[in-house]
Amino acid sequence: MKTIFQDLGYLKEHTKDEDAKGYIKELEHNFKLLRTKSGLSQLLKKKKLAKIIKNVVYEQELQDLQVELIKLQNWIYDNNKRVMIIFEGRDAAGKGGAIKRFTQYLNPRKFRVVALQKPTEVEAGQFYFQRYFQHLPNPGEITFFDRSWYNRAIVEPVFNFCTPEQYERFMRQVPEIEHSLIDDGIILIKFWFSITKDNQQKRFKERMTNPLKHWKLSPVDQKAQEMWDKVTYYKEEMFSRTHTGYAPWIIVDSNDKKNARLESIRYVLSQIPYEGKENAKINLHHDPDVVERYHRRSHSEESVKKDKN
């Protein structure tokens, strides 16, 4: 009995029309994707064909990028490099999901994920950066910060968890702190995962209805929609005062979570000259429509532009 691929091969061989040949080639590619374990699994779940193809392409791209991340991690370890990647953004922007894909296949002995709870009474009396300093990367290590000292730039002033004096002191100190870290050899990347207000609301509703995601909801999350404009104000202040040539903010459009994951990984890989990079089987140049360096804009321009952050 002939297979679908034999039939397609016959058609391709005997078809003279170039447009038809292109269509047959596309069909052949799609059938190969459907023949994968993931494709067959999604077919059995009766998902739409276009969505299955999109998901399988995403999974293959992600896997190829994760292979490059392993190469990157080995280079960092072998060369005693220190890499610190900060993930900031509004609630439900996809920071945790992105970190999960970054670290999925990495050697757990050579990286750490830092997601600190609110400061204890003792920590609250310390130098503000002190509890973060103990989590800085060691030689040969990557640390992923799921939120960071930038809590004081947005979350704390929005919800009155710090005084105006503490906020101002932080804003003055953080560029100098980051300059010192970079001067000492730490490779620092700062991501802001950007999301629209409507998409944030949809993701909150999903968390409320999905028992596996209930733990993600917090009292602060539930007020996020009410505080949208206030967060926007402090976010713009943070960008304006802490975006520097040596430690720029990298904005990731995370309204499409899967694109955000792929392109943020691509960005990190593009920034570090690891061994074996030239042999990558996948494009390592990030999409500028998804990942871009922050550019200063006037307040009048911001008021006209629809805020998707």
Side-chain angles (χ1 to χ4, degrees), residues 223-284:
K223 291 183 179 179
Q225 288 271 295
E226 299 171 31
M227 311 299 283
W228 183 272
D229 291 339
K230 196 172 181 182
V231 170
T232 297
Y233 170 80
Y234 280 104
K235 175 203 70 176
E236 289 303 324
E237 285 294 301
M238 178 186 76
F239 287 162
S240 179
R241 298 174 66 177
T242 67
H243 173 79
T244 59
Y246 50 85
W249 277 105
I250 306 303
I251 314 300
V252 181
D253 182 344
S254 63
N255 288 293
D256 183 323
K257 286 183 180 181
K258 291 180 178 178
N259 275 345
R261 294 164 187 167
L262 295 176
E263 299 307 321
S264 57
I265 293 174
R266 253 190 266 270
Y267 178 83
V268 170
L269 292 169
S270 73
Q271 296 302 297
I272 302 174
Y274 62 92
E275 188 176 350
K277 185 175 183 176
E278 65 281 359
N279 299 320
K281 295 179 180 179
I282 188 168
N283 173 29
L284 300 181

Side-chain angles (χ1 to χ4, degrees), residues 155-176:
V155 175
E156 291 190 19
V158 165
F159 293 98
N160 298 316
F161 294 158
C162 68
T163 65
E165 293 76 20
Q166 289 172 324
Y167 168 77
E168 283 298 329
R169 188 183 309 123
F170 169 82
M171 297 299 277
R172 289 195 307 271
Q173 290 175 339
V174 69
E176 296 177 6

Side-chain angles (χ1 to χ4, degrees), residues 19-200:
D19 288 340
K21 282 184 178 180
Y23 184 68
I24 292 168
K25 188 176 180 180
E26 185 179 345
L27 276 175
E28 194 174 36
H29 174 69
N30 288 344
F31 276 121
K32 283 179 180 177
L33 293 176
L34 291 173
R35 198 168 58 169
T36 63
K37 183 178 178 181
S38 175
L40 291 170
S41 172
Q42 292 179 71
L43 268 178
L44 292 173
K45 294 176 182 176
K46 298 182 179 179
K47 290 189 176 181
K48 291 183 179 179
L49 187 60
K51 189 170 184 179
I52 295 173
I53 298 298
K54 185 179 178 182
N55 287 344
V56 174
V57 169
Y58 158 74
E59 288 164 8
Q60 289 186 346
E61 269 199 86
L62 178 61
Q63 190 173 68
D64 287 343
L65 289 170
Q66 288 171 328
V67 168
E68 295 304 307
L69 282 172
I70 291 170
K71 289 157 65 174
L72 171 66
Q73 185 187 41
N74 289 335
W75 179 83
I76 289 167
Y77 182 79
D78 292 340
N79 292 276
N80 286 327
K81 299 295 183 181
R82 292 170 291 162
V83 179
M84 175 179 177
I85 307 177
I86 288 174
F87 292 78
E88 291 288 347
R90 294 183 189 266
D91 301 310
K95 301 179 293 295
I99 292 171
K100 181 179 178 181
R101 273 64 182 189
F102 266 91
T103 62
Q104 193 169 6
Y105 295 108
L106 296 183
N107 184 334
R109 296 179 181 86
K110 300 175 185 176
F111 80 85
R112 282 178 292 137
V113 176
V114 181
L116 300 183
Q117 300 285 349
K118 68 178 184 179
T120 63
E121 188 175 343
V122 171
E123 289 172 333
Q126 294 173 344
F127 173 51
Y128 177 73
F129 293 91
Q130 187 170 335
R131 74 189 192 118
Y132 292 100
F133 283 172
Q134 62 185 306
H135 298 288
L136 293 177
N138 296 313
E141 187 179 51
I142 310 172
T143 53
F144 299 87
F145 280 75
D146 187 348
R147 294 198 183 278
S148 65
W149 45 60
Y150 281 104
N151 275 339
R152 179 143 291 179
I154 298 180
V155 175
E156 291 190 19
V158 165
F159 293 98
N160 298 316
F161 294 158
C162 68
T163 65
E165 293 76 20
Q166 289 172 324
Y167 168 77
E168 283 298 329
R169 188 183 309 123
F170 169 82
M171 297 299 277
R172 289 195 307 271
Q173 290 175 339
V174 69
E176 296 177 6
I177 293 286
E178 291 177 353
H179 187 275
S180 297
L181 296 178
I182 292 165
D183 195 46
D184 197 57
I186 288 179
I187 298 170
L188 173 63
I189 294 173
K190 302 190 304 191
F191 282 128
W192 174 271
F193 275 58
S194 170
I195 186 175
T196 63
K197 190 174 184 180
D198 287 345
N199 275 334
Q200 185 189 57

